[in-house]
Amino acid sequence: MHHSEWSPKPFFRHLSPPALEELSSWARAELRPLGAGKPWEQWYRAWVALPAHIRQRLESELLPVNDLSCAEARSTLETLAASTWGNSERLKETFSWSTQDLALRLFLAAPVAFAQLHQGWLVDSLEHLKEYAGRYALRPKPSERAKAELREAMRHYLWQTAFGPKCHVEDFANDEKFAVFVFHEDELKPKDRFLEGETLEAVWDRNVVRLAAVFHYETNVLMVKAPRKQEREKLRDLFAECIMKDPLYFLDARSRPRFSFEPLKDPRFDFPPLPGSQLVSVGVQRVVVRPVDSDVRRLTLDFREPLTTSRALEGLATFGVDVRRDSIDGVNLRFTFEGIGRSRTRTVSLFNPNSSNLSDTPRDRIIRRHLKRWGFDANAVHAAVGPAPLEALAH
């Protein structure tokens, strides 16, 4: 499982003395202040002095705290704090805590709920996935048998490749999505290590690879993250067969591209916001074009600043692009919301046949609703003009 980079010195430096005391109580006699200096320096010195095997065990348990000790996770942590401490003085104290302190104390006070929150955070943080649209609305309720079938089918597939035979499958579900994570051994690769002295030796070993498939109920879209196309499509097919119980559930992105860029061909299109969305503006930052009559395979235009649709079309015309004839393969759109700081902006990348950097954070769900309303979601366009499929009635 991927985690944020662990660096113990800033981890201890960003904790308050009271939080460090609570951390010490959790670690019991294994962690006590050592030497002089600021409190965090004493704790860091004690951390370094721990036996390696104890330090590694504690570090493994603290990695989720490290992942959620960021400004982006603050609102999520506050929601858990409200359900953990209710309307108490402890909850009022959290308003003055740093995000690092809040993450640590929730980890200590509600370990099970914190673990579930962390797993959901990892799902929401996935980026640059391939999207596969479902052919009809369906909310899967996978059984243990279905998940076991997926695991065994994936293991059988791995046996036929250069990957290692070991395979582990985990799942996650909430009101918005269902996710499957597949961990497997990578190809056997050499790593250099030092022998006695400075002699190098090659040691052959296998890393662990994580694949992810996340199905979103609201959009009926499966988002798959895998290093290679073969495993990506295999996981999609197994998800359809074992979880959705319909091997043909997902549309073929090669024949039915995931996105439509028709709205950008209208100079009057101005990205109208949905009521209550707090969306201020949207600008076109990049356009990728495939000319019809040209020796150029693909043309990418990066604008100095996000432009309106009409100005973006003028820029394309300057380079001889006619969007009525040439194909738009991808765009980057800069969304700006109410608020201050970098968190008020989000650059969304959409590229056909089915690539995007959208995840399932609350902000990205708002963006997806806008894209669907504006006609960028090709599956929504198809669904609007076609009859209800018989498969939906069967389910």
Side-chain angles (χ1 to χ4, degrees), residues 75-95:
S75 61
T76 305
L77 292 169
E78 288 176 345
T79 300
L80 178 58
S83 63
T84 300
W85 291 306
N87 189 22
S88 64
E89 289 300 320
R90 184 68 164 175
L91 181 63
K92 295 177 182 177
E93 291 176 15
T94 65
F95 303 148

Side-chain angles (χ1 to χ4, degrees), residues 148-199:
E149 288 175 353
L150 187 148
R151 180 177 61 252
E152 291 307 311
M154 196 69 192
R155 181 178 288 124
H156 179 74
Y157 165 78
L158 294 172
W159 285 341
Q160 303 172 55
T161 69
F163 297 125
K166 295 181 180 179
C167 178
H168 173 72
V169 176
E170 296 178 356
D171 63 275
F172 169 82
N174 60 19
D175 293 337
E176 292 87 30
K177 54 187 169 285
F178 174 77
V180 170
F181 298 98
V182 178
F183 301 84
H184 70 83
E185 292 181 310
D186 200 355
E187 299 173 1
L188 196 60
K189 297 178 181 178
K191 296 180 181 179
D192 290 335
R193 73 174 184 182
F194 281 103
L195 299 176
E196 293 184 7
E198 296 183 358
T199 303

Side-chain angles (χ1 to χ4, degrees), residues 69-327:
S69 296
C70 58
E72 295 80 6
R74 179 78 196 201
S75 61
T76 305
L77 292 169
E78 288 176 345
T79 300
L80 178 58
S83 63
T84 300
W85 291 306
N87 189 22
S88 64
E89 289 300 320
R90 184 68 164 175
L91 181 63
K92 295 177 182 177
E93 291 176 15
T94 65
F95 303 148
S96 62
W97 293 350
S98 67
T99 302
Q100 186 101 6
D101 276 17
L102 181 57
L104 176 66
R105 283 162 164 157
L106 283 170
F107 165 74
L108 301 177
V112 175
F114 186 87
Q116 293 174 342
L117 182 147
H118 175 254
Q119 192 174 26
W121 173 261
L122 290 181
V123 174
D124 292 345
S125 300
L126 291 171
E127 289 195 341
H128 299 289
L129 303 100
K130 298 295 183 181
E131 301 195 4
Y132 301 95
R135 293 188 293 115
Y136 49 88
L138 181 61
R139 191 183 183 99
K141 297 181 179 179
S143 64
E144 290 302 320
R145 180 178 179 180
K147 289 182 284 189
E149 288 175 353
L150 187 148
R151 180 177 61 252
E152 291 307 311
M154 196 69 192
R155 181 178 288 124
H156 179 74
Y157 165 78
L158 294 172
W159 285 341
Q160 303 172 55
T161 69
F163 297 125
K166 295 181 180 179
C167 178
H168 173 72
V169 176
E170 296 178 356
D171 63 275
F172 169 82
N174 60 19
D175 293 337
E176 292 87 30
K177 54 187 169 285
F178 174 77
V180 170
F181 298 98
V182 178
F183 301 84
H184 70 83
E185 292 181 310
D186 200 355
E187 299 173 1
L188 196 60
K189 297 178 181 178
K191 296 180 181 179
D192 290 335
R193 73 174 184 182
F194 281 103
L195 299 176
E196 293 184 7
E198 296 183 358
T199 303
L200 282 175
E201 178 190 47
V203 177
W204 293 78
D205 199 2
R206 297 182 186 271
N207 291 327
V208 175
V209 179
R210 183 184 71 161
L211 315 180
V214 187
F215 184 76
H216 302 285
Y217 305 140
E218 183 178 359
T219 56
N220 305 312
V221 168
L222 181 72
M223 303 174 67
V224 182
K225 190 174 184 66
R228 302 196 321 167
K229 179 180 178 181
Q230 297 94 317
E231 285 71 55
R232 187 164 57 241
E233 295 188 348
K234 186 65 179 180
L235 184 54
R236 174 204 61 191
D237 294 343
L238 290 177
F239 197 97
E241 181 180 348
C242 301
I243 305 300
M244 311 304 286
K245 300 302 181 183
D246 180 356
L248 301 178
Y249 178 74
F250 295 109
L251 295 170
D252 183 356
R254 288 168 291 184
S255 60
R256 297 274 291 270
R258 178 73 186 90
F259 305 106
S260 169
F261 301 116
E262 289 297 314
L264 296 180
K265 297 181 180 181
D266 182 359
R268 298 167 299 178
F269 179 71
D270 60 356
F271 301 99
L274 293 172
S277 64
Q278 299 185 329
L279 179 64
V280 176
S281 65
V282 180
V284 182
Q285 194 163 12
R286 170 184 292 181
V287 180
V288 180
V289 178
R290 181 162 37 88
V292 174
D293 301 321
S294 174
D295 293 332
V296 178
R297 178 183 177 186
R298 187 173 289 148
L299 181 66
T300 301
L301 275 76
D302 287 306
F303 302 114
R304 292 183 181 274
E305 59 183 21
L307 301 179
T308 62
T309 304
S310 60
R311 288 189 61 197
L313 289 174
E314 291 173 4
L316 291 171
T318 302
F319 288 87
V321 175
D322 184 351
V323 295
R324 294 169 301 179
R325 177 192 60 186
D326 300 328
S327 299

